Structures are given as C-alpha cells and as structure tokens.
Amino acid sequence: MSVRSGVVGIWIIATGVLIGVLYLGRSILAPFALAVFLFLIMEGFARIIVEQVKFVGRNIARAISILAVLVGFGLFVGLLAQGIAQFGGQASEYEQKINNLIADVYGLLQMDSAPTLTQIIFNESGQRFFATIANATGDLSGDLVVILIYVAFLFLAQSAWGPKLDRLFPVPEQRDQVREIGAAARRGIETYLWTQTVISALITFLTYFTLIALGVQNALFLSALIFVLNYIPTVGSIVAAFVPTLFALVQPELPAWLPAGGENASYIFAAIVFLGVSFWQFAIGNFVQPRIMGETLNLSALVVLLSLAIWGAIWGIPGMFLSAPLTVLMMILFAQSASTRWIAVLLSADGNPGGVISKPANDDLVITAETADT
C-alpha cells in the first residue's frame, strides 16, 4: 500500500512539474510546437506529391509544399487586411447599428441609460478586454517569424535524425521499436492535421457560397475566419457559427430579398444567416467528419473538451489550436508502456489506443505491429 501511495505521489509531483515547465516556457515551447506541426503538414503534403506524381523528386516536392503553405498563408493575411479595411471604411455605419442593438437589448430588459459602443470600449473593463485580445494577437503575430525560422531549421536538421537515432539506440531491436513509435506518432498527427484541413476547407467552401447567396457583406473575410476557427475542437465550430451571425446583425445595408423596412429585419436576417452557417457546421461535423476522422482521432469527446481547456490555459491561443494533436500524441506515447497504458485507455474513445505490450517484464519501448497502424 505504501509503495502504491509513493508511486501516486511521484505521478502527481511529476505532472505538476511538467505543467509548470510547459507554462513557464510557453513563450519558447508553444512557437516550437506550432513549427513542428507546420513542418509535419509540409512533409505530409510533400509525401502525397511524391506518391501521386512519380516523376517528382523528394526535394522538389518539399519545395512545392513549402511554397504552397507560404502562398496560402499570404492569401490569408491579405484577406484579413482587406476585411479589416472594408469594415474600417464603414465604421460609422456599423457603430450606429451596434448602438441601436445595445439600446434594443436595454429596452428589452427594461433598463435605462443604454451606453454607446464608444462608452463600452473606452471604459475600464472594455480597455482591459481589448488590451488582452490585442496582446494575444500581437504575441501570436510576433511569433510567426520565429515559427518560420524553426521550420527552416527542422528541414535542415532532419537528415541528421537517422544517424543520431543510431547512436542513441545502438541495439537494433530497440532502435526499430523507437522508429515504429515515432512513425506511429507522426502518421497519427499528420493524418489528423490533413483531415482537419480538408474538413475545414469543405465547411469554409460551403459557408462562403451560403453567405454570398444570403447577401452577407465581406463573405470572403468571414469565411477565412471560419476556416481558422474550425481547427479549434468543439468550441471553434460554435464560435464559427456565431461570428457571421453577429456581423449580419450589425450589417448596415440589408439584402434586397428581405422585406423592406421593419424594426426586426436585422434580427430576421441574422437568424437566417445563423441557420445557414450552423447547418453546414452541424451536417459536416456530425455526419461527414466522424466518417473521415473516426480512424485518426480516437479521443473521447470529454477528453477533447478538457484538453482544449487545459492546453488553452497553459499556452493560450496556440494551445487551443494544438490541443487535439498534442493529446493524440500523448495517447500514442502512453500506450507504449504497461505503467502508463491506463492513461491512454482513458484518453481513447473506444478504450483501444493501440500499442499492445508484448513483454510485460520489460515493457518500455516494446510494442507489437498494432502500434504502427494506430
């Protein structure tokens, strides 16, 4: 009993120390983790090019994948700049609509002295709120250069990983086992990231044409935001449904197909936009995504939500984006040892995280072929 209590105590202390290191080193570790996952996306894209186009060499495929990711990122930044400029050009009209909305809410609650948007933004609470958002966005933007530098060095360093692994594990059996674990983790993360990208692109594509059909202004900018938000598990899809709705609610010019006049026209328009956007989020999230992602994200729904909260608290916005793949990585690694396999079982959705142990007496780094297919 005392031995078991000691093991539990060591686990608690080790977990606390690990969380403390992750939190205190978030300014270094979070950008590096983003760089690793961006590197895996590029490598996965390059692997697909090599497999599908036989005459293209590995280096050319990598160059194409890097260029494609950089061009995509540049287009996204351009869309953000264009969207912000368009909203800025109609700032006074949006402000009037927002003031009317605030007055309607206060009137519905039978409250007097409705504040204006300017008063809300420039009071003490508003300044703290927007300062927090600005700081988080600024930190993330400032890390982009560091992330790209990390990615460049990851490409330069990957040729030396094989010889280093040979020296770290001189016994061939151990080296092969480590390679299998690394390959399983890499395939799981790459597959998840690519699957999530396809799902996000599909939702974004359908949402964009829905917004265009309904007459929502700046639909391309809103669709780009939805594409990024869908990378955040669970919460991201909910926020993605409300963002176009809020913009539709304060849109200065309503589409011509709505009935002319009427105090509730903006609310009707926003409700229709919400239903249109939510339909694709619900349909793809509940019918298409489980079929595509069922074999790649073997995580409990509760674990996904908890990991989002925990990684978000530790690493902020980067942690929210990386919560699911990081938890998948933890599950794969925990499944390789008999002493930690119970954690992987709890994290998994079906209780079978893979990594079946073949030698209980010496369980570390010993797996069967099932792990390679995880």
Side-chain angles (χ1 to χ4, degrees):
M1 189 60 135
S2 60
V3 173
R4 184 175 299 177
S5 300
V7 172
V8 173
I10 292 174
W11 269 103
I12 294 174
I13 294 173
T15 303
V17 171
L18 180 60
I19 293 175
V21 170
L22 290 173
Y23 179 78
L24 294 176
R26 62 189 180 277
S27 60
I28 299 174
L29 298 176
F32 182 72
L34 285 171
V36 171
F37 287 110
L38 184 59
F39 167 78
L40 291 176
I41 291 176
M42 293 178 176
E43 277 290 278
F45 188 25
R47 189 176 298 110
I48 292 174
I49 294 174
V50 171
E51 292 174 355
Q52 299 298 324
V53 186
K54 302 299 183 181
F55 60 86
V56 175
R58 187 70 177 178
N59 291 332
I60 297 177
R62 282 174 179 161
I64 295 174
S65 67
I66 293 172
L67 182 62
V69 172
L70 293 178
V71 169
F73 178 75
L75 290 175
F76 176 73
V77 173
L79 288 176
L80 288 181
Q82 180 185 5
I84 293 173
Q86 183 172 345
F87 287 124
Q90 298 177 298
S92 59
E93 298 177 1
Y94 276 105
E95 182 180 3
Q96 183 59 44
K97 291 279 291 190
I98 293 173
N99 289 336
N100 294 337
L101 178 62
I102 295 173
D104 290 343
V105 172
Y106 269 68
L108 183 63
L109 298 176
Q110 297 182 352
M111 299 172 61
D112 299 328
S113 303
T116 63
L117 178 63
T118 303
Q119 293 172 340
I120 293 175
I121 291 177
F122 289 101
N123 65 17
E124 184 177 353
S125 301
Q127 288 179 347
R128 285 201 303 267
F129 174 75
F130 285 101
T132 302
I133 295 178
N135 289 334
T137 305
D139 292 341
L140 188 60
S141 301
D143 290 338
L144 289 176
V145 176
V146 178
I147 292 171
L148 293 177
I149 293 174
Y150 281 147
V151 171
F153 277 91
L154 285 171
F155 274 107
L156 294 174
Q158 67 173 337
S159 61
W161 294 345
K164 289 181 180 179
L165 187 64
D166 294 340
R167 290 178 174 84
L168 285 173
F169 300 95
V171 180
E173 290 78 8
Q174 285 188 341
R175 187 163 61 244
D176 292 340
Q177 291 163 2
V178 172
R179 289 183 188 276
E180 289 181 359
I181 295 173
R186 180 168 180 164
R187 279 196 303 272
I189 294 173
E190 281 186 0
T191 307
Y192 166 75
L193 291 174
W194 271 104
T195 304
Q196 191 64 38
T197 300
V198 172
I199 293 296
S200 298
L202 179 60
I203 293 176
T204 302
F205 179 80
L206 296 172
T207 302
Y208 171 72
F209 284 100
T210 301
L211 296 178
I212 289 293
L214 293 176
V216 178
Q217 296 178 354
N218 219 342
L220 193 59
F221 167 76
L222 296 174
S223 300
L225 287 181
I226 290 174
F227 177 80
V228 175
L229 288 171
N230 274 292
Y231 276 93
I232 302 177
T234 309
V235 176
S237 59
I238 297 175
V239 176
F242 278 99
V243 167
T245 304
L246 295 176
F247 278 98
L249 188 62
V250 297
Q251 183 169 304
E253 297 181 4
L254 297 179
W257 57 266
L258 278 173
E263 297 180 356
N264 298 324
S266 295
Y267 299 102
I268 296 173
F269 179 51
I272 294 173
V273 170
F274 175 76
L275 292 175
V277 175
S278 299
F279 173 78
W280 298 120
Q281 294 284 349
F282 176 82
I284 296 176
N286 289 276
F287 297 102
V288 179
Q289 187 167 354
R291 293 179 180 273
I292 298 178
M293 196 172 286
E295 299 179 357
T296 61
L297 186 61
N298 183 23
L299 293 178
S300 167
L302 179 61
V303 169
V304 171
L305 193 60
L306 287 175
S307 66
L308 176 66
I310 293 172
W311 285 108
I314 295 175
W315 281 356
I317 295 177
M320 297 175 71
F321 281 100
L322 298 177
S323 60
L326 285 172
T327 309
V328 170
L329 176 62
M330 291 171 55
M331 182 183 69
I332 293 174
L333 295 179
F334 284 141
Q336 313 312 320
S337 172
S339 60
T340 58
R341 181 173 171 77
W342 62 274
I343 303 177
V345 173
L346 292 177
L347 293 176
S348 65
D350 57 4
N352 182 25
V356 179
I357 308 301
S358 59
K359 295 181 181 180
N362 186 19
D363 59 350
D364 291 336
L365 300 180
V366 181
I367 60 175
T368 65
E370 181 179 340
T371 302
D373 297 328
T374 303

